[in-house]
Amino acid sequence: MTGFEIATGAVGRDGAYVTGHGASYDAAVMRLRQRGSGARTFGGEGLFATIIATYNECLQTSLDALTGIGGQIAETGEGLRMVSRNTQAAESATVESFGGPAWR
């Protein structure tokens, strides 16, 4: 053991979990977006209305910034699954190459 081994089964399973977390994250952001601002001006037009408008703008900017993160989480999970597949393929190819005529 060199310390660089990859537990391909665990990496593949965990990659699927991470991909699922990306979808859960997107769903959570969508629920926040559907809730709206939650702040009302109560018909006033003074300082309080300015504060509420600024709050709403910050809220929308934050939600816009958070929107793409779920996709990145899902892509990370898919990357882990690809590492698992590539490692298994490389190990299989290595085992086959040792069975060739050069090693007999």
Side-chain angles (χ1 to χ4, degrees):
M1 303 284 268
T2 64
F4 293 105
E5 290 77 22
I6 294 176
T8 56
V11 171
R13 280 189 309 277
D14 291 345
Y17 293 137
V18 171
T19 299
H21 291 311
S24 297
Y25 182 92
D26 282 339
V29 172
M30 182 59 68
R31 285 191 303 274
L32 288 173
R33 192 176 293 281
Q34 290 170 345
R35 287 179 57 187
S37 67
R40 305 287 183 263
T41 62
F42 305 108
E45 290 298 326
L47 177 62
F48 193 63
T50 304
I51 292 171
I52 295 297
T54 303
Y55 170 79
N56 288 337
E57 183 179 347
C58 289
L59 177 65
Q60 291 307 313
T61 301
S62 298
L63 289 174
D64 291 343
L66 295 173
T67 299
I69 295 174
Q72 295 301 314
I73 293 170
E75 286 181 23
T76 300
E78 190 54 42
L80 288 170
R81 292 170 69 190
M82 185 169 36
V83 165
S84 177
R85 289 189 302 267
N86 289 347
T87 302
Q88 288 173 347
E91 287 175 352
S92 294
T94 301
V95 167
E96 286 178 21
S97 72
F98 280 117
W103 293 97
R104 290 186 186 169

